[in-house]
């Protein structure tokens, strides 16, 4: 979906109400636990969804690319606070209020379809992740966590503490699993960084999970 094209063909009342903002790499677009009142259309760049654990550890949850959107869940769930969203690259976003979103959706089937698809995919992905995690062994959870971070470009910043939090495992258990995977030539952990030693073998271990 080309969001710029979609905006160009939107009703004048919608186009005139849209605000445009640019965010430099590393800056926050949405702060964690803020009450979000807007839909964000990502026109350029990449953005990362994150949260902090109770102990203050940073956890990367998801990455958005050009022509995606975020903020729609909180927009229609007013009691839900936001995760943080930060610019991974320089970003340009179009920002819409709930009133503008509803006006646009009521008059443009293509935009309405885009919005429904976005919400539906996020709900499905969340459900799949919950089911997947509940049925995975600790080793599978670790390997899948590392694979996901390798695909989103965040493996080099994943700490052991954050990894333990993401896979819901005590650090002692995580250390044993790292040692097991190291013996199998799958991964390594050196100088506070995870390394994938054999991506093909790792993928074979989790091929039913992604």
């Amino acid at each position: 979906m080309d969001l710029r094209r979609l905006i160009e063909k939107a009703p004048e009342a919608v186009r005139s109400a849209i605000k445009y903002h640019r965010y430099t790499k590393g800056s926050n677009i949405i702060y964690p636990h803020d009450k979000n009142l807007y839909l964000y259309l990502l026109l350029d760049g990449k953005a990362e969804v994150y949260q902090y654990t109770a102990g203050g550890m940073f956890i990367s949850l998801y990455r958005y690319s050009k022509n995606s959107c975020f903020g729609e869940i909180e927009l229609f769930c007013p009691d839900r606070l936001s995760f943080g969203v930060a610019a991974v690259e320089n970003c340009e976003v179009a920002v819409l209020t709930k009133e503008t979103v509803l006006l646009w959706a009521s008059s443009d089937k293509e935009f309405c379809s885009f919005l429904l698809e976005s919400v539906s995919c996020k709900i499905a992905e969340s459900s799949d992740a919950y089911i997947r995690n509940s049925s995975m062994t600790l080793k599978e959870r670790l390997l899948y966590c590392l694979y996901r971070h390798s695909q989103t470009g965040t493996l080099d910043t994943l700490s052991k503490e954050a990894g333990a939090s993401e896979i819901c495992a005590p650090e002692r258990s995580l250390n044993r699993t790292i040692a097991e995977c190291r013996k199998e030539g799958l991964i390594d952990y050196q100088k506070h960084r995870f390394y994938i030693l054999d991506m093909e073998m790792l993928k074979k271990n989790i091929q039913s999970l992604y």
Side-chain angles (χ1 to χ4, degrees), residues 95-157:
V95 184
L96 295 76
T97 63
K98 183 176 181 179
E99 291 73 19
T100 303
V101 170
L102 292 174
L103 173 63
W104 195 359
S106 67
S107 60
D108 187 334
K109 290 183 179 180
E110 190 176 9
F111 173 70
C112 186
S113 176
F114 164 75
L115 200 58
L116 289 173
E117 182 179 335
S118 175
V119 173
S120 299
C121 287
K122 287 176 184 177
I123 292 172
E125 287 173 5
S126 296
S127 299
D128 290 346
Y130 178 81
I131 294 170
R132 182 173 58 242
N133 288 338
S134 65
S135 62
M136 289 164 63
T137 65
L138 179 55
K139 177 182 176 182
E140 288 173 334
R141 294 204 302 273
L142 172 61
L143 295 180
Y144 184 78
C145 171
L146 299 184
Y147 173 76
R148 185 173 61 83
H149 278 281
S150 73
Q151 297 305 294
T152 58
T154 54
L155 183 62
D156 59 343
T157 60

Side-chain angles (χ1 to χ4, degrees), residues 22-38:
R22 293 182 181 273
Y23 296 89
T24 57
K25 179 180 178 180
S27 61
N28 277 293
I29 300 173
I30 301 176
Y31 285 90
H33 310 303
D34 270 3
K35 187 175 179 63
N36 178 49
L37 301 174
Y38 304 99

Side-chain angles (χ1 to χ4, degrees), residues 22-90:
R22 293 182 181 273
Y23 296 89
T24 57
K25 179 180 178 180
S27 61
N28 277 293
I29 300 173
I30 301 176
Y31 285 90
H33 310 303
D34 270 3
K35 187 175 179 63
N36 178 49
L37 301 174
Y38 304 99
L39 171 69
Y40 295 82
L41 304 179
L42 187 54
L43 304 179
D44 280 305
K46 292 182 180 179
E48 178 177 56
V49 185
Y50 68 91
Q51 68 173 353
Y52 288 101
T53 67
M57 291 183 296
F58 175 91
I59 297 179
S60 173
L61 301 175
Y62 193 78
R63 282 201 175 188
Y64 292 109
S65 298
K66 178 181 177 180
N67 291 322
S68 58
C69 71
F70 51 90
E72 74 279 16
I73 301 296
E74 297 87 351
L75 199 64
F76 294 101
C77 297
D79 294 330
R80 184 178 179 85
L81 297 179
S82 301
F83 289 123
V85 181
V88 177
E89 301 174 351
N90 292 339

